[in-house]
């Protein structure tokens, strides 16, 4: 919206979650600069702004004084990061590789879309180099890869498919300890612990509160996933593997509530478990209704592939959960976590930002994440320590294990 003065733009935008301008800063999943490199509109959005830059994966706005919260999630399609320091980095990319270029015959930088074939070729690069990478992600302009601490980054590829590669040491980006992920509901946050099994004519649905059995006066708290069917037509729901004890018992909303089912299978390396609900229960792949956003709820519309044009970096997302309700989000990175490098095997994942005003979404394990077409993109795993990034396992992995999402409500018998 060109031509807005500082006062007008502050009044109009300070409470908006997604600020739209007359142009987009995203083209085909890649960050781009304003037309003709003119940052005038962006410099006027917030008082005390002294610098604006497109530094993928963020639009970085440097201000003398932070604007009042809640801050916008995106401006012209790019996620926003406010900084008051002139030199502070907005995103810890890691160290740029200094070794030879890889897959130089491909141009992911300006021409090609990220694809399953591109990911596979990139994984093969490190298999051939015998570098035991833990994960590899495309952030819409650069690659980010986690490598063992002893790796010599000076010898690792500086680019893959003509796009820069940044490396992080494993000790710098440890995974959270699963037992510490969900011991109890988050403190100081109102959450929906209603017993939906007691509601008249109300099916269970994604995003309700689930817990493990009570073990030594502690239990694990997660949220329900999606309704799926196997090749034999049997129905189940998905949950987060780390949220349940060895007995596999699933309670709602807490161990003193209702025993609703039991884990019957865990899918390796995905943090997805399959639960058979008890007879008499009903389940539907539809989000809760919200007065403003979705007065009718959202019926899940299948599973989204993990590649363009169905999914790209900076695509919008939503997630519904009992702790913070509806959360808006955006895809930040797409890629995989490696399970067997020698066999070039991996599990597809995404990094995203998910927010509901300024409330945490860290207690969302198992919740489905939807794209703008109401398709399930991924299932929430964890929020990265000291970061806004959230990791989700790709929902397409369910199909790889022989499960498909159900469109209609199902009654368990």
């Amino acid at each position: 919206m060109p031509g807005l003065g500082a006062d007008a733009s502050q009044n109009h935008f300070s409470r908006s979650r997604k600020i739209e301008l007359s142009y987009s800063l995203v083209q085909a999943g890649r960050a781009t600069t304003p037309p003709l490199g003119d940052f005038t509109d962006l410099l006027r959005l917030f008082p005390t702004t002294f610098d604006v830059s497109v530094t993928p994966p963020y639009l970085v706005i440097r201000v003398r004084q932070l604007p009042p919260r809640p801050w916008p999630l995106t401006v012209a399609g790019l996620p926003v990061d406010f900084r008051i320091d002139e030199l502070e980095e907005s995103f810890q990319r890691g160290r740029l590789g200094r070794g030879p270029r890889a897959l130089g015959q491909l141009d992911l930088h300006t021409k090609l879309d990220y694809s399953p074939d591109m990911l596979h070729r990139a994984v093969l690069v490190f298999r051939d180099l015998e570098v035991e990478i833990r994960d590899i992600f495309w952030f819409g302009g650069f690659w980010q890869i986690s490598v063992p601490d002893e790796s010599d980054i000076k010898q690792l590829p500086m680019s893959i498919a003509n796009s820069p590669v940044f490396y992080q040491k494993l000790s710098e980006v440890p995974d959270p300890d699963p037992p510490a992920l969900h011991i109890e509901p988050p403190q100081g946050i109102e959450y929906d612990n209603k017993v939906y099994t007691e509601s008249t004519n109300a099916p269970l649905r994604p995003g309700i509160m689930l817990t493990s059995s009570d073990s030594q006066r502690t239990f694990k708290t997660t949220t329900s996933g999606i309704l799926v069917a196997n090749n034999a037509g049997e129905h189940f729901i998905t949950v987060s593997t780390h949220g349940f004890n060895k007995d596999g018992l699933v309670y709602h909303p807490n161990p003193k509530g209702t025993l609703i089912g039991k884990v019957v299978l865990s899918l390796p390396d995905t943090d997805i478990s399959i639960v058979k609900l008890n007879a008499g229960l009903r389940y539907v792949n539809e989000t809760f209704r919200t007065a403003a956003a979705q007065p009718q709820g959202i019926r899940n519309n299948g599973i989204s592939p993990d590649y363009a044009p169905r999914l790209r970096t900076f695509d919008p997302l939503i997630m519904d959960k009992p702790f913070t309700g509806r959360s808006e989000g955006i895809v930040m990175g797409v890629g995989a976590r490696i399970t067997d490098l020698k066999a070039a095997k991996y599990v597809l994942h995404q990094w995203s930002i998910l927010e509901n005003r300024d409330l945490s979404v860290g207690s969302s394990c198992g919740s489905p994440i939807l794209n703008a077409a109401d398709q399930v993109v991924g299932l929430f795993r964890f929020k990265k320590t000291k970061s806004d990034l959230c990791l989700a396992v790709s929902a397409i992995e369910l199909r790889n294990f022989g499960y498909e999402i159900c469109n209609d409500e199902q009654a368990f018998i």
Side-chain angles (χ1 to χ4, degrees):
M1 294 183 181
L4 285 177
D7 293 340
S9 64
Q10 170 65 10
N11 292 335
H12 187 75
F13 291 136
S14 62
R15 299 297 175 180
S16 175
R17 297 301 287 152
K18 294 183 179 180
I19 297 175
E20 296 183 1
L21 301 179
S22 59
Y23 54 82
S24 175
L25 293 173
V26 177
Q27 293 183 0
R30 297 177 178 87
T32 185
T33 54
L36 303 178
D38 184 0
F39 283 80
T40 302
D41 296 337
L42 297 170
L43 287 164
R44 291 175 176 174
L45 288 179
F46 299 94
T48 77
T49 299
F50 64 87
D51 183 66
V52 177
S53 63
V54 175
T55 309
Y58 284 100
L59 171 67
V60 181
I61 301 179
R62 299 187 187 275
V63 292
R64 303 295 181 192
Q65 183 177 357
L66 293 173
R69 292 178 180 269
W71 296 338
L73 177 64
T74 61
V75 169
L78 271 188
V80 183
D81 187 51
F82 289 102
R83 296 285 158 172
I84 57 176
D85 188 287
E86 295 185 12
L87 301 177
E88 185 180 7
E89 294 184 4
S90 64
F91 184 80
Q92 299 299 319
R93 293 186 178 189
R95 302 173 184 85
L96 181 66
R98 299 297 182 185
R101 302 174 186 272
L103 304 181
Q105 74 278 18
L106 304 175
D107 187 359
L108 184 58
H109 182 63
T110 59
K111 295 182 179 180
L112 299 176
D113 272 322
Y114 170 87
S115 66
D117 179 66
M118 185 73 71
L119 173 65
H120 188 71
R121 291 190 185 202
V123 171
L124 292 180
V125 167
F126 293 93
R127 183 198 66 179
D128 295 344
L129 291 173
E130 298 183 348
V131 177
E132 290 288 337
I133 63 175
R134 183 188 67 188
D135 50 61
I136 176 171
F137 285 90
W138 168 251
F139 276 87
F142 63 92
W143 299 90
Q144 187 180 70
I145 300 174
S146 300
V147 296
D149 284 18
E150 62 272 15
S151 301
D152 185 358
I153 294 177
K154 294 190 298 295
Q155 302 300 318
L156 298 181
M158 67 183 302
S159 70
I160 295 176
N162 287 288
S163 297
V165 186
F166 295 87
Y167 299 91
Q168 295 179 309
K169 298 294 183 71
L170 292 180
S171 61
E172 299 170 339
V173 284
D175 282 342
D177 181 20
L181 285 174
H182 296 293
I183 300 302
E184 58 186 14
Q187 299 299 310
I189 295 177
E190 293 185 5
Y191 53 88
D192 180 7
N193 61 352
K194 180 178 179 180
V195 184
Y196 285 95
T197 52
E198 297 177 356
S199 300
T200 303
N201 197 35
L204 303 180
R205 62 188 65 223
I208 64 169
M209 186 179 294
L210 302 180
T211 66
S212 66
S213 56
D214 195 331
S215 176
Q216 298 180 344
R217 297 184 180 181
T218 65
F219 55 88
K220 304 170 186 177
T221 302
T222 56
T223 51
S224 60
I226 57 176
L227 177 69
V228 295
N230 63 12
N231 295 330
E234 300 173 300
H235 295 99
F236 308 88
I237 70 166
T238 64
V239 298
S240 185
T241 299
H242 71 260
F244 299 91
N245 296 325
K246 291 182 179 179
D247 58 22
L249 298 180
V250 180
Y251 289 85
H252 164 69
N254 56 56
K256 295 181 180 180
T258 305
L259 176 64
I260 64 170
K262 186 174 183 179
V263 173
V264 295
L265 180 67
S266 295
L267 308 184
D269 303 308
T270 66
D271 198 31
I272 300 173
S273 284
I274 303 300
V275 169
K276 185 70 174 180
L277 291 183
N278 292 340
L281 295 176
R282 295 153 50 217
Y283 204 94
V284 63
N285 280 327
E286 184 176 287
T287 64
F288 287 96
R289 301 176 183 182
T290 59
Q294 284 97 29
Q296 301 303 319
I298 296 177
R299 182 69 65 97
N300 298 169
N301 186 29
I303 291 175
S304 171
D306 221 22
Y307 49 85
R310 303 289 287 278
L311 185 73
R312 286 188 171 108
T313 46
F314 311 124
D315 278 357
L317 303 170
I318 62 167
M319 182 178 69
D320 193 76
K321 58 186 294 292
F323 300 105
T324 56
R326 180 180 183 269
S327 298
E328 293 183 282
I330 188 170
V331 179
M332 298 294 282
V334 288
R337 291 171 67 90
I338 311 302
T339 58
D340 185 344
L341 185 61
K342 290 184 179 180
K345 292 183 178 180
Y346 43 83
V347 174
L348 299 176
H349 283 76
Q350 309 112 20
W351 285 112
S352 60
I353 293 176
L354 293 159
E355 298 179 337
N356 180 336
R357 300 181 300 276
D358 297 303
L359 301 178
S360 168
V361 295
S363 302
S364 308
C365 295
S367 290
I369 301 170
L370 310 182
N371 63 12
D374 302 337
Q375 294 175 318
V376 181
V377 169
L379 300 171
F380 189 101
R381 290 195 65 171
F382 60 79
K383 187 173 184 291
K384 190 175 181 180
T385 304
K386 298 180 180 180
S387 171
D388 292 330
L389 292 180
C390 301
L391 186 71
V393 59
S394 172
I396 206 72
E397 292 293 345
L398 285 165
R399 191 172 290 167
N400 296 337
F401 282 95
Y403 293 90
E404 191 58 65
I405 192 170
C406 297
N407 293 325
D408 299 321
E409 179 181 318
Q410 296 293 332
F412 285 77
I413 57 176

